[in-house]
Amino acid sequence: MKTEFDKIAEEAGNAELEAWAAKVKAANEEIVAFVGQKLRTNVPGEFVRYLQGSYNVNLVIRFGEEDIVIVRFPKRGITAARFLEEKVKNEVRFLEYLAEKTAIPVPKIRDWGMTKDSPSQLGPYIIMDYIEGSELETILRQLQDDNNEAEVDLVYEQIADYMLQVSRLHFSAIGPINKDTSGAWTVTDRPLTTNMNNLASVVTNYPVDQFPKAAFTSAQAFLHYRADENLVHLQVQRNLAHSAQDAEKCFIARHRFKQLIERFYSPSEADNGPFIPYCHDFRPKNMLARYEEGSLKIVAVLDFEYVNTMPAQFAYDPPWWLAMVSPGLMLEKFAMEDFEELYVPRLEQFLRAMAKAEAKKNASHGREAFSLTSRMRDSWTSKRFWFNYGIRKGWSVDVVYWSALHEPGDEKLSGDLEKEMSLIAEKKMEQLAAYEAECDARGIAQSG
């Protein structure tokens, strides 16, 4: 089954983005001067090029031969307006935290600020060092195509080491990392997630007042919130289901996900922490690499927006990107067996790399009882990998349930839920008819 964004909300966001992008282009000279002022340099600045991301636009600016920086703005219309400044502040603090507490190569932040301080009020910004390198995903695909498994191993070992470092960072609440007045790193604010941003920007009339107001101190409470967020999503997105049968399948999947919480997260299992930073986009697409002294080295890890401390088990999952495809998108088109055929050999290769990274850490710091390798393997074999993936991604929760977690007989619901499902299916078809009529009136093309 396939779910999609609300095309009406998406079109509105694209129109806002287009108008904002024109404003950025018109302000190029002002932006260059602004960055030079923030860097306190007398060397004239030169705009080099744009680097486009999914949620941000980056301007590369050169000052003389040596100093090259990026100024990064979140894209209007893609990032919900209510989250712009919260998103940037959270990312800045996490980059600063990683630079202080780990050896993960992240760009140095030179300056940052809010919309009121930005050129032409373009939005909150981050100025950071530009790092020369090639996108690791492109390199990794070529290595795999060439069957250069030794260098794939080298890439995996570096990423495994980074994941191992992150797995040791423990907090007592779920949310973004910040610094308190004493300079200590802590978590007190609500988690801001990619899913929240998407609900606020590409679902018409999602009740944003129901988003969290504070950090969570219980894994169970957070997961129940996420399950409820998915149920509200089903209620309000008018084109989430394209038939009554689709609506019923979404209803079953989202209720079953809520019921699966205690199977994968028993109340006695680290419910009050530790909580560990988790970045869904921690993947080769957001890493830069280059050859140094004949060896392929990752030189930058980028894009830490929407990072929060999360239930520790998220950090104990094997990487979802190992097959170089999105699991949710693949399951929409193919069978689980097709995904596993691609994923499992790479999983075994990555677990060998993780075991090697752990052996190095143990040799230098003394042996620990904790094994990330064994936890990752257990996550895969227990299907917790799939539960965690689905609970994070509201547009994939349905296909993940039916492809990976459904067992025969699970589709049977209690009498009260059966009645509610019938009403929801009827409501979804009424919503869909109204949505399609509005799309036609606006001349917006739809996909079924």
Side-chain angles (χ1 to χ4, degrees):
M1 58 191 303
K2 181 177 185 293
T3 56
E4 58 191 33
F5 289 162
D6 178 329
K7 300 294 183 188
I8 296 171
E10 199 170 23
E11 287 263 333
N14 288 339
E16 183 182 356
L17 173 61
E18 188 175 340
W20 178 81
K23 190 176 176 183
V24 172
K25 188 174 182 181
N28 265 16
E29 290 186 10
E30 182 185 354
I31 294 169
V32 171
F34 170 81
V35 172
Q37 180 185 16
K38 288 296 180 181
L39 297 183
R40 299 180 179 177
T41 178
N42 295 319
V43 179
E46 175 192 1
F47 169 74
V48 179
R49 66 181 184 277
Y50 294 107
L51 295 174
Q52 297 285 351
S54 298
Y55 291 94
N56 307 279
V57 64
N58 305 279
L59 288 77
V60 182
I61 300 173
R62 180 192 300 273
F63 295 91
E65 291 300 315
E66 300 296 327
D67 201 9
I68 307 176
V69 299
I70 283 174
V71 58
R72 169 181 169 101
F73 297 98
K75 289 180 175 178
R76 295 288 180 103
I78 303 298
T79 301
R82 67 180 55 247
F83 295 147
L84 287 166
E85 300 198 342
E86 189 177 355
K87 177 181 99 80
V88 167
K89 177 179 74 73
N90 290 351
E91 182 171 14
V92 166
R93 292 303 185 214
F94 188 64
L95 279 165
E96 291 173 343
Y97 176 76
L98 284 182
E100 182 179 315
K101 298 295 185 181
T102 75
I104 297 170
V106 296
K108 179 183 177 182
I109 294 176
R110 306 281 287 273
D111 189 72
W112 68 284
M114 297 288 98
T115 302
K116 64 181 177 61
D117 301 316
S118 68
S120 293
Q121 305 288 286
L122 290 171
Y125 67 90
I126 308 174
I127 301 171
M128 62 181 79
D129 285 347
Y130 171 82
I131 300 173
E132 190 68 52
S134 300
E135 185 183 281
L136 182 59
E137 182 177 280
T138 302
I139 296 173
L140 194 53
R141 287 184 186 278
Q142 189 60 55
L143 293 175
Q144 292 175 349
D145 289 345
D146 294 341
N147 293 316
N148 189 341
E149 298 304 329
E151 291 219 321
V152 174
D153 286 340
L154 181 61
V155 169
Y156 281 3
E157 285 166 23
Q158 291 175 74
I159 296 174
D161 176 64
Y162 301 158
M163 295 182 74
L164 194 57
Q165 291 183 55
V166 171
S167 74
R168 268 58 174 179
L169 307 174
H170 292 179
F171 289 83
S172 59
I174 293 172
I177 297 171
N178 208 338
K179 242 181 187 173
D180 65 18
T181 52
S182 71
W185 293 102
T186 185
V187 172
T188 55
D189 297 331
R190 69 167 179 190
L192 175 62
T193 65
T194 307
N195 209 71
M196 287 165 59
N197 178 73
N198 291 344
L199 289 170
S201 58
V202 291
V203 175
T204 304
N205 297 325
Y206 187 89
V208 294
D209 60 322
Q210 294 186 26
F211 286 145
K213 305 294 192 298
F216 291 84
T217 55
S218 157
Q220 286 258 329
F222 172 72
L223 295 168
H224 277 278
Y225 164 76
R226 277 292 304 120
D228 289 339
E229 189 178 85
N230 287 335
L231 288 167
V232 174
H233 181 196
L234 172 61
Q235 291 269 0
V236 299
Q237 185 178 335
R238 295 184 295 171
N239 67 325
L240 192 68
H242 289 271
S243 68
Q245 183 184 30
D246 274 354
E248 290 178 355
K249 292 186 75 172
C250 290
F251 184 91
I252 292 168
R254 290 165 191 242
H255 276 278
R256 286 300 184 209
F257 247 89
K258 188 168 184 177
Q259 294 165 0
L260 284 169
I261 291 171
E262 288 200 10
R263 171 179 159 189
F264 291 104
Y265 289 82
S266 66
S268 61
E269 183 186 13
D271 186 53
N272 302 118
F275 303 112
I276 297 174
Y278 181 81
C279 177
H280 184 81
D281 260 358
F282 192 82
R283 56 185 174 128
K285 180 77 174 173
N286 294 321
M287 299 177 185
L288 301 177
R290 60 175 180 254
Y291 283 92
E292 296 184 352
E293 299 178 354
S295 180
L296 183 61
K297 183 178 180 182
I298 298 172
V299 293
V301 184
L302 312 170
D303 285 0
F304 290 101
E305 57 203 353
Y306 304 115
V307 172
N308 299 279
T309 58
M310 286 283 166
Q313 289 86 345
F314 285 19
Y316 301 159
D317 289 337
W320 60 265
W321 50 261
L322 291 174
M324 306 298 275
V325 294
S326 162
L329 292 178
M330 179 131 187
L331 293 180
E332 287 180 0
K333 298 178 181 178
F334 303 100
M336 175 61 76
E337 292 77 11
D338 298 310
F339 175 78
E340 290 178 340
E341 185 178 348
L342 293 174
Y343 186 85
V344 172
R346 293 300 176 189
L347 170 63
E348 293 299 329
Q349 187 175 11
F350 187 84
L351 291 180
R352 290 193 295 272
M354 180 58 74
K356 191 170 181 179
E358 288 194 292
K360 286 182 181 177
K361 279 281 190 293
N362 290 338
S364 58
H365 296 96
R367 186 162 186 83
E368 296 184 31
F370 176 93
S371 170
L372 191 52
T373 307
S374 62
R375 287 177 184 248
M376 285 184 168
R377 185 176 295 283
D378 177 69
S379 171
W380 177 254
T381 56
S382 70
K383 296 190 177 181
R384 179 183 266 163
F385 169 92
W386 287 112
F387 175 84
N388 288 345
Y389 185 89
I391 202 73
R392 288 194 302 268
K393 296 182 70 65
W395 275 266
S396 294
V397 62
D398 308 303
V399 72
V400 165
Y401 172 75
W402 289 105
S403 299
L405 298 172
H406 170 254
E407 295 179 1
D410 280 355
E411 64 276 9
K412 300 296 183 184
L413 300 173
S414 67
D416 288 345
L417 284 179
E418 286 280 356
K419 291 177 184 175
E420 185 182 345
M421 181 171 68
S422 178
L423 293 173
I424 286 289
E426 184 178 339
K427 176 183 176 182
K428 297 313 293 181
M429 293 306 93
E430 291 171 358
Q431 288 179 337
L432 183 64
Y435 168 83
E436 290 177 339
E438 187 175 345
C439 284
D440 288 343
R442 293 169 177 260
I444 297 173
Q446 304 166 55
S447 57

